[in-house]
Amino acid sequence: MSSRFLSNKDDFGDGPARDYIGYGERPPQFRWPGDAGVAINIVVNYEEGSEYSVPMGDERNDMLAEIQYALPGDVRDLTVESVYEYGSRVGVWRLLRIFEDGGVAVTFFAGAVALEKNREVARRLVEQGHEPCSHGYRWVEHFQMTREEERESIAKAIESFKDTCGQRPVGWYCRYGPSVHTRKLVVEEGGFEYDSDAYNDDLPYYVNVDGTRHLVIPYTLDLNDVRFVIAQGYGSGTDFYDDAVATFNRLRYEVEQTGVARMMSVGTHPRLFGRPARADALARFIEYVNATGGGWFARRDAIGRFWRETFPPPAG
């Protein structure tokens, strides 16, 4: 039977049932720490050195960079490689200085191998008070793995973080989309406090995973610097700044109207947002929020712990 005749079926066998309702008209009324109305989490997707590339033994090179053409899959793409290297050599340090100047704590969605290749970044992000969150071991496609392969990859990433950062990650986010097994494996591992493999809300929420109430802290792709390198995306840092300010102001307005606090996410990559003009736009947005008030810049694990303390998971 054609799948178009099954559009109202919510139980697809493997994987979670879909939830179209969420909090609906009655989201919880609360304020974040400091009486803030909007929690702002900046994510640094630190991937440089973990991407698909021929030197790493892959059959293709990754193209999420400034370059608009692709070399044959079995040929080293030195141009793309050098763009990624900019992120770990220069861009990440520019971002870290901006966060330090703004007094902002962020979350690093880090590929474990990327931190292995630049241990100074791992050391500095921990020293500066940022959160190392597992972005997988490498840029692997979890939906193409067997369940056991995926379990082993998650475990390998955790051990790598312990080595480079001196601590295990308590958050999880897939580089590519998760498989139908990913969330169950994250819960079964036992040390993860949340995952961000969802884009479906402005607030954290719990899901039932085989009897365990697991916290999901949704992510977003609209305020993300990948829009600098995709069609119909950002043309300049000013485009991002305008979007970010408009998002923050709209959420503040909704808080005033409804009493319901909100969360916004900003996604960065050192090879993209680490470029001077774009980084300047990010710095100006941080300055705007700090000057305007009503925002709480927070790591994802801090948001998750606040949520658990304020709204403990329901029993059963």
Side-chain angles (χ1 to χ4, degrees), residues 265-305:
S265 299
V266 177
T268 75
H269 299 73
R271 63 188 177 277
L272 300 176
F273 244 132
R275 296 286 174 173
R278 297 169 183 168
D280 182 72
L282 181 62
R284 288 191 290 116
F285 172 66
I286 293 171
E287 292 169 359
Y288 177 85
V289 173
N290 286 338
T292 303
W296 175 47
F297 284 105
R299 297 163 34 146
R300 282 185 176 250
D301 58 352
I303 291 172
R305 288 163 188 164

Side-chain angles (χ1 to χ4, degrees), residues 19-74:
D19 180 359
Y20 300 93
I21 299 172
Y23 292 114
E25 287 189 304
R26 298 175 180 82
Q29 293 199 342
F30 72 101
R31 288 297 179 100
W32 300 104
D35 200 37
V38 183
I40 306 162
N41 174 246
I42 297 176
V43 167
V44 177
N45 293 272
Y46 190 71
E47 303 157 336
E48 287 76 5
S50 69
E51 77 276 7
Y52 281 119
S53 65
V54 171
M56 292 284 285
D58 301 312
E59 296 180 352
R60 62 183 174 91
N61 301 297
D62 198 273
M63 284 299 298
L64 187 55
E66 308 281 355
I67 311 306
Q68 302 301 313
Y69 59 89
L71 296 185
D74 58 349

Side-chain angles (χ1 to χ4, degrees), residues 23-33 35-38 201 203-204 253-262 306-307 309-312:
Y23 292 114
E25 287 189 304
R26 298 175 180 82
Q29 293 199 342
F30 72 101
R31 288 297 179 100
W32 300 104
D35 200 37
V38 183
D201 214 303
L203 291 174
Y253 172 80
E254 291 181 0
V255 172
E256 294 170 0
Q257 294 295 307
T258 67
V260 177
R262 294 295 185 184
F306 169 87
W307 198 263
E309 292 172 2
T310 308
F311 304 104

Side-chain angles (χ1 to χ4, degrees), residues 11-129:
D11 184 357
F12 295 92
D14 288 339
R18 297 183 67 182
D19 180 359
Y20 300 93
I21 299 172
Y23 292 114
E25 287 189 304
R26 298 175 180 82
Q29 293 199 342
F30 72 101
R31 288 297 179 100
W32 300 104
D35 200 37
V38 183
I40 306 162
N41 174 246
I42 297 176
V43 167
V44 177
N45 293 272
Y46 190 71
E47 303 157 336
E48 287 76 5
S50 69
E51 77 276 7
Y52 281 119
S53 65
V54 171
M56 292 284 285
D58 301 312
E59 296 180 352
R60 62 183 174 91
N61 301 297
D62 198 273
M63 284 299 298
L64 187 55
E66 308 281 355
I67 311 306
Q68 302 301 313
Y69 59 89
L71 296 185
D74 58 349
V75 176
R76 280 191 68 180
D77 193 329
L78 300 179
T79 304
V80 169
E81 288 176 26
S82 68
V83 171
Y84 277 84
E85 290 163 10
Y86 182 90
S88 61
R89 290 164 60 112
V90 181
V92 69
W93 301 109
R94 178 171 288 124
L95 293 178
L96 284 169
R97 289 193 296 271
I98 287 172
F99 302 145
E100 188 169 31
D101 290 345
V104 170
V106 308
T107 295
F108 272 69
F109 283 175
V113 168
L115 291 179
E116 289 178 4
K117 292 180 179 296
N118 194 335
R119 289 173 177 265
E120 284 297 297
V121 172
R123 176 188 62 80
R124 186 62 182 137
L125 79 88
V126 172
E127 287 180 353
Q128 200 166 310

